[in-house]
Amino acid sequence: MASVSSPMASQLKSSFTSPVSRRLLTPRGISGSPFRVVPSKRSPRFLVKAIQSEKPTYQVIQPINGDPFIGSLETPITSSPLIAWYLSNLPAYRTAVSPLLRGVEVGLAHGFLLVGPFVKAGPLRNTEIAGPAGSLAAGGLVVILSICLTIYGIASFNEGEPSTAPGLTLTGRKKEPDQLQTADGWAKFTGGFFFGGISGVIWAYFLLYVLNLPYFVK
């Protein structure tokens, strides 16, 4: 045993005392004894294991209908009955109503609400013609928005093509495609928006400056 281990010990000793090891262990330009090779101490290691919880967790946010390929998430807000009822009553989602009437409803709301900011924050707000000037500015914005809707319809829909809206609901139920997503339906929606927007502006001006009611903010 000693005869076997002695050649190995002498070989290890010769490797540590080789010229290469001496160059590595002895710094140049510093007088003194060479560095001693200190054996490294192994630091303690900790093993972390993931333990599956026994209590099942409920996923609050998940893909709608359990299908991640739809591209929509189901959350407590978007899937609540109140939010679903509110969204289903917006003009954009009431597919049973004609596009013309939906455009009139959207235009009335925009035209009626645009008069106030132009009157109170416009450049002529401190003059006697603040009301007429703000109303004309709101009417001009309705015209600009109507032109933008027309450009969008020309660029997005071709005359005579069927609706691009899906014919299935998210639950797989068949439905009639929305006619708003056609060239004719979008043209009706744009015309209704223009008529409703101008009517909303005229109605707001009539309530504010023709009836001359004692409003708190005027």
Side-chain angles (χ1 to χ4, degrees):
M1 192 75 177
S3 62
V4 175
S5 61
S6 58
M8 295 178 64
S10 61
Q11 186 178 0
L12 291 174
K13 184 177 180 181
S14 63
S15 64
F16 278 110
T17 57
S18 62
V20 177
S21 63
R22 284 198 298 271
R23 284 198 301 270
L24 293 175
L25 298 176
T26 305
R28 294 182 179 181
I30 300 177
S31 61
S33 60
F35 295 120
R36 292 181 298 174
V37 179
V38 180
S40 61
K41 298 181 180 180
R42 305 182 71 179
S43 59
R45 298 180 180 179
F46 298 95
L47 184 62
V48 179
K49 292 184 178 180
I51 302 176
Q52 187 176 3
S53 177
E54 298 179 356
K55 185 179 179 180
T57 58
Y58 177 73
Q59 295 294 333
V60 178
I61 301 176
Q62 56 187 352
I64 190 168
N65 294 335
D67 188 0
F69 298 100
I70 294 180
S72 181
L73 295 176
E74 187 176 4
T75 65
I77 297 177
T78 58
S79 300
S80 65
L82 180 62
I83 300 298
W85 173 82
Y86 172 74
L87 293 177
S88 63
N89 281 277
L90 291 177
Y93 297 103
R94 286 205 306 254
T95 58
V97 183
S98 66
L100 179 62
L101 296 179
R102 291 153 74 178
V104 170
E105 184 176 349
V106 175
L108 279 172
H110 283 76
F112 185 78
L113 295 177
L114 284 175
V115 175
F118 278 106
V119 170
K120 303 305 292 184
L124 300 176
R125 58 185 177 273
N126 294 325
T127 62
E128 296 179 355
I129 59 172
S135 301
L136 290 176
L141 182 56
V142 170
V143 173
I144 294 174
L145 293 177
S146 301
I147 295 174
C148 293
L149 289 174
T150 303
I151 296 174
Y152 175 80
I154 294 173
S156 300
F157 309 109
N158 295 324
E159 194 71 30
E161 290 188 355
S163 176
T164 59
L168 293 176
T169 63
L170 294 177
T171 58
R173 181 175 53 86
K174 291 184 178 182
K175 67 172 185 177
E176 184 180 356
D178 190 5
Q179 295 303 313
L180 179 61
Q181 305 297 325
T182 60
D184 183 61
W186 192 263
K188 292 180 179 179
F189 178 82
T190 303
F193 178 84
F194 175 75
F195 177 78
I198 298 299
S199 301
V201 171
I202 295 174
W203 180 242
Y205 179 80
F206 178 78
L207 293 178
L208 288 172
Y209 302 102
V210 176
L211 292 183
N212 199 17
L213 297 177
Y215 295 108
F216 180 73
V217 177
K218 188 175 179 181

